[in-house]
């Protein structure tokens, strides 16, 4: 674990705070005891939002140790945005969505290398000026490029393309010829088949029988 690696390099001035709970919470607490680092970690469990903000306001470095798995790579982690809103520098594994969200507010560690992750945290703890600058970058991004308002506008635009308001162009014309030939074309074929089946049923025929006339 990164707390253990930090201890190995001789640091005794770092307290790691783990906020929230998960399926590995009990295992992590036991691991802290086994590694003899209980004095350097604090497992809070689930706490009110006000307490979360209080912890984040006193942090020097915030971490996002989500491993580079496919799901994590395409997911935006809430904690990344919360760190940015609190002007905090971040250490994260190099995940696509984390990089898109945090930009220059984070240091990105390649692969799933715990030692490199700990080294990145140690380097930031030793560079206050860089921490401050990264915190400023994160706050600027959460206030602009990745703000709730910007995300809301993009989502509304995306849904508007799929579900246009009454009176707007139909979906097939909005999305272009490719959609006409593919999805919309298939829908039309299904509709025509249903009508044909209904007509056969009225004539006393099964839908899988050849249509006469």
């Amino acid at each position: 674990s990164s707390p253990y690696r930090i201890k190995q390099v001789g640091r005794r001035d770092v307290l790691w705070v783990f906020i929230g709970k998960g399926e590995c919470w009990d295992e992590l607490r036991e691991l802290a005891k086994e590694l003899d680092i209980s004095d350097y970690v604090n497992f809070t469990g689930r706490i009110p939002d006000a307490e979360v903000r209080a912890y984040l306001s006193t942090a020097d470095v915030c971490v996002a140790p989500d491993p580079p798995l496919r799901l994590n790579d395409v997911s935006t982690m809430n904690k990344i945005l919360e760190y940015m809103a609190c002007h905090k520098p971040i250490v994260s594994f190099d995940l696509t969505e984390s990089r898109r969200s945090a930009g220059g507010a984070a240091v990105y560690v390649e692969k799933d290398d715990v030692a490199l992750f700990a080294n990145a945290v140690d380097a930031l703890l030793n560079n206050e000026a860089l921490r401050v600058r990264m915190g400023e970058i994160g706050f600027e991004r959460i206030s602009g490029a990745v703000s709730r308002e910007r995300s809301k506008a993009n989502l509304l635009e995306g849904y508007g393309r799929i579900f246009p308001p009454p009176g707007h162009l139909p979906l097939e014309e909005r999305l272009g010829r490719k959609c006409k030939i593919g999805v919309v074309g298939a829908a039309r074929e299904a509709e025509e088949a249903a009508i044909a089946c209904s007509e056969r049923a009225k004539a006393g025929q099964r839908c899988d029988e050849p249509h006469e006339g």
Side-chain angles (χ1 to χ4, degrees), residues 80-200:
I80 293 284
L81 305 179
E82 292 169 347
Y83 297 160
M84 293 162 62
C86 292
H87 294 77
K88 298 302 175 181
I90 304 163
V91 175
S92 168
F93 285 116
D94 196 0
L95 305 178
T96 299
E97 283 302 317
S98 295
R99 185 180 282 274
R100 285 176 179 170
S101 298
V107 173
Y108 302 98
V109 179
E110 295 183 0
K111 303 178 181 179
D112 190 3
D113 193 318
V114 176
L116 289 179
F117 199 95
N119 290 341
V121 173
D122 186 46
L124 271 182
L125 290 174
N126 291 328
N127 193 333
E128 181 179 1
L130 179 58
R131 296 199 309 268
V132 170
R133 178 56 188 146
M134 290 173 64
E136 292 173 347
I137 292 173
F139 189 75
E140 289 172 3
R141 288 183 63 76
I142 198 66
S143 302
V146 294
S147 67
R148 183 188 298 267
E149 290 73 20
R150 181 74 174 269
S151 298
K152 176 182 176 181
N154 291 338
L155 282 172
L156 289 175
E157 180 182 357
Y159 282 122
R161 293 177 184 227
I162 301 173
F163 305 106
H168 284 227
L169 293 176
L171 176 63
E172 60 187 82
E173 293 184 30
R174 290 167 66 85
L175 298 185
R177 181 174 178 79
K178 183 177 180 180
C179 183
K180 258 189 223 182
I181 297 174
V183 176
V184 176
R188 285 177 176 167
E189 289 178 4
E191 182 180 7
E192 291 171 358
I195 293 172
C197 183
S198 177
E199 293 175 350
R200 292 176 191 178

